[in-house]
Amino acid sequence: MTVLTYAMLILLLVSSGALILLVLLHKGKGGGLSSMFGGGMSSVASGSSVAEKNLTRITIGVGVIWFATIIAYGLLLRAMV
């Protein structure tokens, strides 16, 4: 494996971990498991804040990086074979 494949693998692992953490930081919108543990009531009482909007933007950005890394890593592995 080359240095580029190791760099892609590290980027994939870091972006995967970041995406998991960012998704878990979001408030529940009611209905699912978040409301079972008390998250449903707080999301109804408070509106959408600036921090929540910024968290959503960051999550989308990391998701795009994660998706692009998976595609690039797959193409890189295919080229090596």
Side-chain angles (χ1 to χ4, degrees), residues 36-81:
M36 184 186 335
F37 297 112
M41 296 185 67
S42 64
S43 66
V44 173
S46 64
S48 180
S49 65
V50 175
E52 184 73 22
K53 288 180 184 177
N54 287 336
L55 184 62
T56 302
R57 290 180 186 137
I58 293 169
T59 305
I60 291 171
V62 171
V64 168
I65 291 170
W66 178 80
F67 184 73
T69 304
I70 286 182
I71 298 296
Y73 189 64
L75 290 173
L76 187 63
L77 288 180
R78 178 180 252 191
M80 291 179 68
V81 174

